[in-house]
Amino acid sequence: MEKITTYPIPKNISRVLALLRESPVQLEALSWFMTEEQFCEPLTENEWSFKQHLAHLLSRDEITSQSIYYALLVDDPILPDIHPQRQWASLVDYEHFPVSGLFKSYNFRRTTLLRVLTELTDAEWENTVSRASKRPETIYRLARALALHEVDHLDDITGKLKTRPPNL
């Protein structure tokens, strides 16, 4: 994958938007052959299931999207430092929902986020949000981190599905 620097130049913004657009499509393409039971089985021994990956990506998307929205709505927002996996995911516990509902939610949230991001001006990409215990982050850096995080998970899922025995 090409390098996407931390600078919000048009080329980088376009690449981040493309990755965010592609992630839900790639995720569904990887899962088209799986049954509800297979979604819940570990992809490899002692690893997450496909459903756990999807639930994690949805949790991360929610935390990041909300941060972006606050950066656009409030001057100098300071948000609580909520970890997407340890705190948010354990609260909402998406693993108890059907995969079809998780996909619908993920796709809807992504469509909403992309609608907002594609309308941003150059200056708005530089809006910041701070977490209580961390330095401010720009919208661009948040979107970039979300996109790259998803690419890592998609690569991980793809690799594990390729090495998975056919009967799983």
Side-chain angles (χ1 to χ4, degrees):
M1 181 170 88
E2 70 189 73
K3 182 175 176 154
I4 303 174
T5 67
T6 57
Y7 302 105
I9 59 174
K11 175 185 169 187
N12 290 340
I13 291 170
S14 293
R15 188 64 189 130
V16 166
L17 291 171
L19 290 173
L20 290 172
R21 220 177 264 108
E22 294 164 7
S23 291
V25 175
Q26 290 177 352
L27 200 57
E28 288 204 55
L30 289 169
S31 70
W32 71 268
F33 65 92
M34 297 177 82
T35 65
E36 190 72 33
E37 183 179 279
Q38 289 172 320
F39 281 123
C40 298
E41 296 170 353
L43 294 176
T44 59
E45 192 174 334
N46 299 318
E47 293 285 336
W48 280 2
S49 67
F50 188 96
K51 188 175 189 179
Q52 287 172 308
H53 279 278
L54 177 57
H56 171 74
L57 292 174
L58 182 56
S59 294
R60 174 74 185 259
D61 176 83
E62 287 177 341
I63 294 293
T64 303
S65 295
Q66 291 304 315
S67 299
I68 289 169
Y69 302 150
Y70 280 115
L72 292 167
L73 295 170
V74 179
D75 290 334
D76 302 318
I78 298 176
L79 302 177
D81 195 12
I82 299 173
H83 191 277
Q85 186 62 31
R86 288 190 305 271
Q87 294 167 302
W88 188 261
S90 37
L91 174 68
V92 295
D93 203 9
Y94 285 132
E95 292 178 50
H96 285 86
F97 292 89
V99 169
S100 61
L102 296 178
F103 269 121
K104 285 178 187 174
S105 181
Y106 182 64
N107 289 331
F108 178 77
R109 291 191 61 82
R110 182 50 47 87
T111 300
T112 303
L113 177 62
L114 285 167
R115 187 191 60 73
V116 169
L117 292 177
T118 57
E119 298 294 320
L120 295 182
T121 64
D122 290 344
E124 287 172 323
W125 280 100
E126 300 273 0
N127 284 19
T128 62
V129 62
S130 296
R131 298 252 177 242
S133 64
K134 297 184 177 153
R135 67 180 167 84
E137 289 289 347
T138 64
I139 289 174
Y140 170 72
R141 283 179 177 244
L142 291 167
R144 176 183 174 273
L146 180 64
L148 295 176
H149 178 80
E150 289 179 353
V151 166
D152 286 345
H153 276 274
L154 289 166
D155 289 348
D156 185 47
I157 292 167
T158 300
K160 288 176 180 167
L161 288 175
K162 284 180 181 176
T163 62
R164 197 172 187 195
N167 61 342
L168 292 179

